[in-house]
Amino acid sequence: MAPPYLSIVIPVYNEASIVVSAAAELAQGLDARGWDYEIIFAENGSRDATPQILEDMCAKNPRLRWFHSERPNYGVALKAGIEKARGTYVFCDEIDLCDLIFYDAALPLLEKGGVDMVVGSKAAKGASDQRPLVRRLATRVHNKLLRVALDFQGTDTHGLKAFRREALLPVVARCVVDMDVFASEFVIRAWREGLRVVEIPIQLHEKRQPSIHLFKRVPNVLRNVGKLVYVIRIRGT
């Protein structure tokens, strides 16, 4: 089968309540635009009916693919999904977002050339972040930590991203951390290695509460940021 023009990679964990409707809405929007695409669901460690639902969905629609990882790990799942993607352009999406407005803005920037990666920022000027206050503050604290520790110059690393697959696959291969911080390392390495990364503001309205509580994620985030600082700053890799 010929590679599609677009690959959309979506990590999923215990998403039985939303995955069918979100996938249908996204596929409908992509079909309406006439794009050649594949959607890859990177299911990781779900304990609900998500795997069975994905198996049924993908059997009915050849544009949909999925794979299973035993352990819940967003970063490992996202990295594996990117590596499995076959499209010229890859979009990293979230099942509770599936924001086609971002697709409409990001794809032309990539197609025109001069840009390797587009990051949909929740904190850039013009963005609208409708999440609870504590989660908005957590995003800003995380980004401040990345600026202080790694001289990151952007406003966001986690969430929606689009990029040229050929340019970014070597960057993915060099990433060493997992969980939520993989997404940060991916963007930071692209920026540090001189690739052309741009941010665009997004309008963020999640369709459901997070599947993993914010405060349960904090220890893993701090540990992986520390590892990333050591690898980049001390080892220089």
Side-chain angles (χ1 to χ4, degrees):
M1 217 165 59
Y5 193 54
L6 304 181
S7 292
I8 297 96
V9 180
I10 306 178
V12 289
Y13 168 71
N14 288 346
E15 301 289 2
S17 66
I18 192 176
V19 67
V20 172
S21 59
E25 182 179 344
L26 177 59
Q28 183 178 18
L30 295 169
D31 289 338
R33 287 159 173 79
W35 293 338
D36 180 27
Y37 67 91
E38 64 177 359
I39 302 176
I40 303 172
F41 297 98
E43 187 275 315
N44 57 113
S46 296
R47 296 186 298 272
D48 64 2
T50 298
Q52 292 78 18
I53 292 171
L54 289 173
E55 181 67 26
D56 184 58
M57 281 173 38
C58 295
K60 295 176 180 177
N61 187 340
R63 291 188 182 273
L64 308 184
R65 302 165 54 200
W66 80 287
F67 65 92
H68 170 73
S69 301
E70 286 294 329
R71 190 163 65 94
N73 191 314
Y74 175 92
V76 168
L78 181 58
K79 183 176 183 179
I82 292 171
E83 291 172 338
K84 292 176 185 294
R86 301 178 299 128
T88 302
Y89 303 108
V90 179
F91 282 71
C92 298
D93 208 337
E94 305 290 330
I95 196 65
D96 59 330
L97 300 181
C98 294
D99 180 7
L100 283 159
I101 296 174
F102 172 74
Y103 290 60
D104 291 335
L107 185 58
L109 293 175
L110 295 169
E111 290 176 325
K112 286 177 185 176
V115 172
D116 295 306
M117 173 185 277
V118 181
V119 177
S121 173
K122 303 179 289 292
K125 184 177 180 181
S128 174
D129 187 349
Q130 299 180 38
R131 296 175 303 160
L133 177 60
V134 67
R135 296 189 62 213
R136 299 199 304 269
L137 290 174
T139 292
R140 280 156 177 76
V141 169
H142 181 62
N143 290 334
K144 178 67 173 178
L145 178 61
L146 296 177
R147 282 195 289 273
V148 171
L150 294 164
D151 294 330
F152 176 57
Q153 299 299 307
T155 64
D156 203 358
T157 59
H158 197 276
L160 303 179
K161 285 175 279 293
F163 52 89
R164 292 194 306 112
R165 177 177 170 273
E166 182 179 339
L168 271 297
L169 270 183
V171 178
V172 170
R174 286 189 283 274
C175 290
V176 297
V177 299
D178 59 4
M179 305 301 285
D180 291 349
V181 183
F182 165 76
S184 297
E185 180 180 11
F186 185 32
V187 174
I188 289 170
R189 282 193 181 275
W191 169 71
R192 290 178 66 91
E193 294 179 20
L195 295 178
R196 299 158 295 181
V197 181
V198 300
E199 292 184 340
I200 59 176
I202 60 171
Q203 312 300 306
L204 180 59
H205 176 69
E206 295 175 318
K207 298 175 182 177
R208 57 100 175 97
Q209 292 297 313
S211 56
I212 301 177
H213 194 278
L214 172 64
F215 294 108
K216 290 183 178 180
R217 294 157 59 183
V218 170
N220 281 323
V221 169
L222 293 177
R223 183 170 59 252
N224 276 310
V225 168
K227 179 179 179 180
L228 186 57
V229 171
Y230 172 76
V231 168
I232 291 178
R233 290 290 203 188
I234 307 302
R235 289 176 48 188
T237 59

